[in-house]
Amino acid sequence: MSILGTMTETSAINVLSGGGVKNMKYFKFDNFMFSPIYLAGLADEIGYNYLHIEHDVSKDGSSGYDAYTNTIYLNFPIAGSIEQQGMVVHEATHAMFDFQGKGMDIVTSESLAYIAQCLYVRSNTTFDPNDPMDRLKSEDKHGNLTIRDGVFSWGWYIAGKIIAGNSSATAVYSVTADDIKGMKKAVETHPWYSSIAYNQTNFNGYR
C-alpha cells in the first residue's frame, strides 16, 4: 500500500468516525433506514481491510463505489473540505447498504446517498437559511446551475426536513411520499443515471 493510499484511508476513517457523522440524524426512505451509527462503524471496516479506500486520479469530478470489490474510489487524496467530506459520506452510504445486503435499484441507492451527503454538510455547516442558493449545488464554469443540480436541490431540501423533524438524536424521520417522488425524479433526470436508474445494484452483504 502506498503512503498516499494510507493517507486517503486515514482521511476517510477520520470523516466516518468523527463528530460530523455523529451530528447526522436517522431517516427512512421507502423501506430503507439510514443510520449514522452504522455509517460510523464503517471506519472499523476500513481498519479491518473489509472496506477499501483508494484515491483514483482518473475520477474526473466524481467518485464511486464498487460493490464487487467493496472499494470506495475518491477523486481526491484527502477529504479536507466539507464538500469532500460529504462525498466520503455519499460513497460510504452505498457501502453501508451493500454491507447490510440491502438490495435496491440505483435510483433508490443514489437518492439515499445524495440525501446523506447533503445531510452531513447541512448538519456541519453555517449557511443562510434565507438564501436558497447557499447549499451544495452543481454549477458549470460560469456559475450556472447544471441539469445535475436537481439531486442536490432535493437532497438539501429533504435534509433540512430531516433535521427539523427529528425531535431527538435517535428519532427516525420518514421521508414523505411526495419528497421520495421528487428525489427519485431528480436522480432519473441526472445524466449519469438516466439510462440505468431502475437497474438493480449488486449490494450483496459480502465482505
Side-chain angles (χ1 to χ4, degrees):
M1 180 185 300
S2 68
I3 293 175
L4 185 58
T6 302
M7 290 172 57
T8 304
E9 288 186 349
T10 299
S11 178
I13 289 171
N14 289 341
V15 171
L16 295 172
S17 63
V21 168
K22 292 181 177 66
N23 288 337
M24 299 175 73
K25 303 292 187 181
Y26 293 81
F27 68 88
K28 188 176 182 182
F29 185 96
D30 273 352
N31 295 317
F32 301 99
M33 189 178 80
F34 173 88
S35 166
I37 297 298
Y38 199 107
L39 188 75
L42 291 180
D44 289 335
E45 302 289 0
I46 299 170
Y48 293 134
N49 205 35
Y50 291 125
L51 177 60
H52 313 293
I53 311 292
E54 293 189 15
H55 172 221
D56 187 346
V57 295
S58 70
K59 295 289 184 181
D60 183 17
S62 65
S63 296
Y65 175 67
D66 185 342
Y68 286 115
T69 61
N70 298 336
T71 303
I72 291 175
Y73 295 97
L74 300 172
N75 67 329
F76 45 83
I78 304 295
S81 69
I82 189 70
E83 292 83 6
Q84 290 170 332
Q85 293 165 20
M87 182 57 70
V88 172
V89 167
H90 178 116
E91 301 305 341
T93 298
H94 292 312
M96 178 180 74
F97 287 109
D98 178 27
F99 278 40
Q100 291 176 331
K102 301 289 188 181
M104 62 185 76
D105 52 31
I106 289 172
V107 70
T108 301
S109 177
E110 293 299 338
S111 293
L112 286 158
Y114 278 107
I115 293 170
Q117 179 179 0
C118 290
L119 181 60
Y120 177 89
V121 175
R122 188 159 186 166
S123 299
N124 296 287
T125 307
T126 301
F127 65 96
D128 184 354
N130 297 315
D131 181 359
M133 297 309 297
D134 189 11
R135 59 172 174 81
L136 286 182
K137 49 187 174 289
S138 175
E139 297 177 319
D140 62 22
K141 63 182 181 180
H142 303 294
N144 300 313
L145 294 179
T146 74
I147 192 172
R148 301 173 182 176
D149 184 65
V151 292
F152 293 111
S153 176
W154 271 99
W156 192 264
Y157 168 71
I158 294 171
K161 295 179 77 171
I162 293 169
I163 294 169
N166 280 18
S167 57
S168 69
T170 57
V172 180
Y173 175 85
S174 292
V175 179
T176 67
D178 285 345
D179 289 348
I180 290 171
K181 182 178 179 180
M183 186 71 226
K184 286 187 174 182
K185 185 66 175 178
V187 175
E188 289 173 16
T189 56
H190 193 296
W192 292 351
Y193 316 114
S194 58
S195 65
I196 59 171
Y198 287 94
N199 291 359
Q200 291 297 303
T201 63
N202 53 351
F203 296 167
N204 52 30
Y206 296 151
R207 297 194 300 175

